[in-house]
Amino acid sequence: MTDPSVVAAHRSRSAGPETHGRPPAGRWTVDAVAELFALPFPDLVYRAQTVHRAHHAANAVQLSTLVSIKTGGCPEDCGYCPQAARFHTGVENQALLDVGEVVAAARAARDAGATRFCMGAAWRGPKERDLASVLDMVRAVKALGLEACATLGMLKDGQAEALREAGLDYYNHNLDTAPEFYGEIIHTRDYDDRLATLERVREAGMHVCCGGIVGMGESRAQRAALVAQLANLDPYPESVPINHLVQVEGTPLHAKLGGESALDPFEFVRTVAVARITMPKAKVRLSAGRRELGEAIQALCFVAGANSIFYGDRLLTTGNADADADRELFARLGLSAQA
Ligand code: SF4
């Protein structure tokens, strides 16, 4: 189950100067991560870009496509999420897509240049009969030559193994925020539940996709605590989505924050840079809220080490306007899509 040392990492305050910001046992303290956040912006971005070039192709960005296979009606209460049944956001409770619809979306994603296909379901966790359908989807996506990723909520014993046997490459399960702030956002499950699912995914032999959301009213120290948690997972996730809160009317966070962004956009770039430095080999992914940040901030994020994006994050059809805008931005920045 949960490694208590991982949970305890956020409480550590002991990085000495001789460690150059990195505590001795290869673990990041919150203070060490906070020191990175506090660097002058050019120093931080330079350091992140240096780490980035040591481990990744400098100008390549991986494209992933996310498709919601089961939208709305979720019993959980994540304060940012329009899919929670208890919030009145206008998102309807829809049935699970059938395998044919998912295959069509995956084929369109592949034809548009995506190399990874992510399937998301608004569940607390998959029921057995639903899992059987998802396993069919995973097999079909793999047969198209795509990497397969799923985000289905908490996993019970045996479910991670079944997904792995079907060919799933990545399982996404975000820590969302710092342990200290988590209770302000979600009440229907706790931090240890998240860590337990991540451990099941690791034990089944799948890659982990795990990140968080910033701009929810958390402090910088809490952003540092989130990054420390991620970096101290052993091993740290292969894929780290950094989301910027998109405030949706009807959610508790929209009511709390009033629709105004709670975060300086440069702080978002700093978060990306710190994730890159602390998790050098991970794909750091710009996820929710990317387009709202604008092209200039996205470009800074790529310089700070982001090297994966969600691309055409709806069911893809020809002429997807968002995908076209991404292609144009890549051309202007000289970035290439990574196979
Ligand atoms: S578990 Fe997922 S779908 Fe459900 S409310 Fe939370 S974020 Fe939304």
Side-chain angles (χ1 to χ4, degrees), residues 44-295:
L44 175 61
V45 172
Y46 174 75
R47 191 163 158 187
Q49 175 66 199
T50 305
V51 170
H52 182 71
R53 283 171 186 254
H55 297 279
H56 303 274
N59 305 307
V61 176
Q62 187 221 23
L63 306 180
S64 295
T65 295
L66 174 66
V67 165
S68 177
I69 58 170
K70 161 69 185 79
T71 301
C74 183
E76 301 295 285
D77 77 339
C78 308
Y80 49 82
C81 181
Q83 301 200 65
R86 67 191 74 198
F87 308 147
H88 301 291
T89 61
V91 175
E92 305 276 327
N93 183 10
Q94 296 172 18
L96 181 64
L97 295 185
D98 66 38
V99 178
E101 291 172 293
V102 174
V103 169
R107 192 173 285 120
R110 186 191 62 182
D111 294 347
T115 54
R116 189 183 301 172
F117 187 74
C118 305
M119 294 164 275
W123 290 324
R124 177 174 168 82
K127 297 192 173 73
E128 286 309 313
R129 70 167 188 279
D130 293 328
L131 187 67
S133 301
V134 173
L135 297 178
D136 287 342
M137 294 173 192
V138 171
R139 291 184 198 102
V141 168
K142 292 297 293 178
L144 291 171
L146 287 159
E147 281 190 313
C149 172
T151 181
L152 314 171
M154 294 187 286
L155 296 178
K156 299 196 193 95
D157 282 343
Q159 293 184 323
E161 287 77 6
L163 288 162
R164 179 69 202 130
E165 276 164 30
L168 194 71
D169 299 292
Y170 282 80
Y171 194 80
N172 165 264
H173 200 61
N174 290 332
L175 287 178
D176 282 352
T177 191
E180 298 88 346
F181 193 62
Y182 189 85
E184 309 257 328
I185 306 295
I186 298 160
H187 313 94
T188 48
R189 58 185 185 276
D190 62 26
Y191 219 75
D192 279 355
D193 292 328
R194 298 252 163 162
L195 292 167
T197 287
L198 292 170
E199 195 162 303
R200 287 193 168 103
V201 170
R202 274 287 180 224
E203 282 175 0
M206 282 184 285
H207 297 311
V208 168
C209 174
C210 180
I213 307 170
V214 296
M216 298 195 292
E218 76 286 341
S219 65
R220 174 181 275 183
Q222 288 164 337
R223 284 187 286 281
L226 165 66
V227 173
Q229 282 285 331
L230 294 167
N232 287 335
L233 291 172
D234 187 14
Y236 60 74
E238 284 82 5
S239 187
V240 180
I242 305 290
N243 298 278
H244 189 291
L245 175 68
V246 178
Q247 292 184 41
V248 179
E249 219 169 321
T251 60
L253 279 176
H254 183 275
K256 185 175 169 190
L257 301 171
E260 296 292 320
S261 175
L263 197 72
D264 175 352
F266 295 128
E267 187 71 7
F268 184 84
V269 181
R270 285 180 182 274
T271 308
V272 168
V274 170
R276 165 52 65 227
I277 294 166
T278 55
M279 294 169 273
K281 294 182 180 169
K283 287 271 195 300
V284 175
R285 174 178 303 159
L286 302 181
S287 298
R290 176 169 69 86
R291 293 196 175 86
E292 288 81 352
L293 287 166
E295 293 179 341

